[in-house]
């Protein structure tokens, strides 16, 4: 097992009707928790790195921690650039040793998105790196992504086929109702599974059978984490995510990668709050960070078993 690209992961996932989880990282405890969860459930993993995580932790530290996680656990792990906003960050991350990157040109007009994505694809493929792109625009806030609901757009199925054919990407992030952040729905949660099925069928008809689809903004916003946060001083009233059964359905279809970041942030914050509230004289960071690490591992293991379906897939 090793630090790998996502291409082989997705081929296995499509055939097995499961998805690989992308869990974003930014510090040691989160890396350890994710990797140990993957080891416990015998599942490959993707560790996502946003531009803000690169600024916060630095690429050398992040790559060093992931390499240590691979050595400790022996499982397949891919390091993936999340929402690369321009060609320069894609190029930089490939230079850091990333085996998988995302170029997100969804904020451009369609033709400009095609043009800029193709430039990133050519560079990535020349360096043996898998590349994801996005078509459609997700609402919500997460790190450097901030899109108002009125500016969100669902992915057009015919445009999706044209986009994949013209750019040569390895996976496509689509918009079918997920959103970034902890406040995804005001009313009933809805995902457009008909649109997902139509995109898949049109890709297959165009000779792109088993093409990997990606869902961003797919945290469940776990009620337990929200409850613990609020119990110990948090203010997360109204936080609501994607129901687990909807995500599992998507994973059984063409979705080969599901991104979950908010759930890990909530888990960490909840159990740091809990530990400090129950131990007011504590000041050793290893105490509260260790408690958070244990709970994040539980959360990730639950995602692997109940959402992704990737347990025992290695």
């Amino acid at each position: 097992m090793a630090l790998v690209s996502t291409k082989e992961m997705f081929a296995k996932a499509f055939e097995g009707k499961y998805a690989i989880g992308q869990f974003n990282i930014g510090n040691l405890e989160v890396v350890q928790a994710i990797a140990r969860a993957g080891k416990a459930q015998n599942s490959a993993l993707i560790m996502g790195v946003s531009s803000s995580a690169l600024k916060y932790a630095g690429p050398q530290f992040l790559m060093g921690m992931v390499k240590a996680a691979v050595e400790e656990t022996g499982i397949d792990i891919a390091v993936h650039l999340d929402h690369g906003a321009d060609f320069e960050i894609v190029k930089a991350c490939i230079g850091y040793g990333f085996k998988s990157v995302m170029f997100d040109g969804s904020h451009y007009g369609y033709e400009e998105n095609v043009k800029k994505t193709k430039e990133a694809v050519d560079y990535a493929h020349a360096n043996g790196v898998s590349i994801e792109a996005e078509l459609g625009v997700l609402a919500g806030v997460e790190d450097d992504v901030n899109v108002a609901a009125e500016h969100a757009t669902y992915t057009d199925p015919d445009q999706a086929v044209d986009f994949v054919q013209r750019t040569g990407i390895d996976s496509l992030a689509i918009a079918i109702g997920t959103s970034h952040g902890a406040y995804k729905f005001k009313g009933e949660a809805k995902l457009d599974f008909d649109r997902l099925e139509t995109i898949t069928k049109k890709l297959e008809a165009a000779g792109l059978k088993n093409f990997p689809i990606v869902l961003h903004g797919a945290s469940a916003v776990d009620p337990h984490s929200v409850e613990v946060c609020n119990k110990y001083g948090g203010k997360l009233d109204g936080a609501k995510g994607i129901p687990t059964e909807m995500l599992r359905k998507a994973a059984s279809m063409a979705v080969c990668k599901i991104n979950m970041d908010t759930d890990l942030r909530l888990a960490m914050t909840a159990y740091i709050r809990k530990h400090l509230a129950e131990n007011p004289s504590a000041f050793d960071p290893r105490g509260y960070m260790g408690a958070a690490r244990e709970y994040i591992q539980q959360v990730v293991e639950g995602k692997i078993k109940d959402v992704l379906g990737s347990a025992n897939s290695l």
Side-chain angles (χ1 to χ4, degrees):
M1 305 300 178
L3 197 59
V4 297
S5 77
T6 52
K7 196 163 188 177
E8 295 78 13
M9 284 186 183
F10 293 161
K12 287 182 65 178
F14 207 113
E15 290 297 326
K17 295 187 180 301
Y18 63 85
I20 302 294
Q22 177 182 305
F23 302 98
N24 279 29
I25 61 173
N27 63 19
L28 173 65
E29 287 77 15
V30 172
V31 171
Q32 290 174 323
I34 295 168
R36 290 170 186 176
K39 174 69 172 179
Q41 294 300 321
N42 196 32
S43 173
L45 297 164
I46 299 166
M47 294 194 182
V49 179
S50 66
S51 58
S52 61
L54 285 170
K55 294 172 186 173
Y56 176 79
Q60 290 85 0
F61 278 102
L62 289 169
M63 287 300 293
M65 288 189 291
V66 177
K67 287 175 181 176
V70 170
E71 290 179 9
E72 179 185 279
T73 63
I75 63 172
D76 286 342
I77 298 175
V79 182
H80 177 79
L81 169 64
D82 192 24
H83 289 289
D86 54 50
F87 177 72
E88 291 307 314
I89 192 169
V90 168
K91 185 177 179 181
C93 285
I94 291 172
Y96 299 144
F98 286 44
K99 298 294 184 182
S100 181
V101 293
M102 178 191 185
F103 174 76
D104 182 3
S106 61
H107 51 288
Y108 295 112
Y110 180 68
E111 288 299 328
E112 188 71 6
N113 190 2
V114 170
K115 178 183 175 182
K116 290 183 177 295
T117 300
K118 182 66 167 65
E119 178 187 23
V121 168
D122 289 345
Y123 186 84
H125 285 174
N127 287 275
V129 172
S130 300
I131 183 164
E132 169 191 337
E134 185 167 319
L135 191 62
V137 181
L138 271 67
V141 179
E142 185 176 270
D143 285 353
D144 296 332
V145 179
N146 189 339
V147 178
E150 62 268 24
H151 295 140
T153 57
Y154 280 18
T155 304
D156 178 86
D158 290 317
Q159 208 172 56
V161 174
D162 181 70
F163 187 77
V164 172
Q165 289 177 324
R166 289 172 63 187
T167 60
I169 55 173
D170 299 298
S171 59
L172 177 67
I174 63 171
I176 60 168
T178 57
S179 63
H180 294 288
Y183 300 89
K184 300 184 189 299
F185 300 102
K186 291 182 179 178
E188 182 184 356
K190 292 181 181 179
L191 294 185
D192 192 342
F193 288 107
D194 289 341
R195 187 178 298 267
L196 171 59
E197 187 174 12
T198 300
I199 291 170
T200 303
K201 287 181 176 178
K202 285 182 176 287
L203 286 168
E204 186 169 342
L208 295 159
K209 186 178 180 181
N210 293 3
F211 190 83
I213 300 298
V214 176
L215 283 188
H216 284 246
S219 284
V221 187
D222 298 314
H224 176 70
S225 295
V226 173
E227 180 184 348
V228 173
C229 271
N230 289 340
K231 180 178 179 179
Y232 293 102
K235 294 183 179 179
L236 292 167
D237 295 335
K240 189 174 182 180
I242 314 294
T244 296
E245 60 272 16
M246 288 187 178
L247 295 173
R248 186 68 196 101
K249 181 177 179 179
S252 71
M253 297 171 70
V255 173
C256 294
K257 174 170 168 276
I258 295 179
N259 291 18
M260 292 169 282
D261 183 15
T262 297
D263 282 336
L264 273 59
R265 297 182 182 199
L266 286 172
M268 171 162 272
T269 302
Y271 274 74
I272 288 175
R273 284 186 177 276
K274 182 176 186 292
H275 183 88
L276 291 175
E278 293 176 347
N279 301 275
S281 62
F283 59 89
D284 186 343
R286 291 171 296 185
Y288 54 81
M289 294 297 281
R293 179 177 62 190
E294 289 179 13
Y295 183 58
I296 292 170
Q297 180 176 339
Q298 291 178 32
V299 168
V300 175
E301 287 195 49
K303 303 298 183 187
I304 290 170
K305 290 185 291 183
D306 302 329
V307 175
L308 302 163
S310 64
N312 297 313
S313 60
L314 283 177

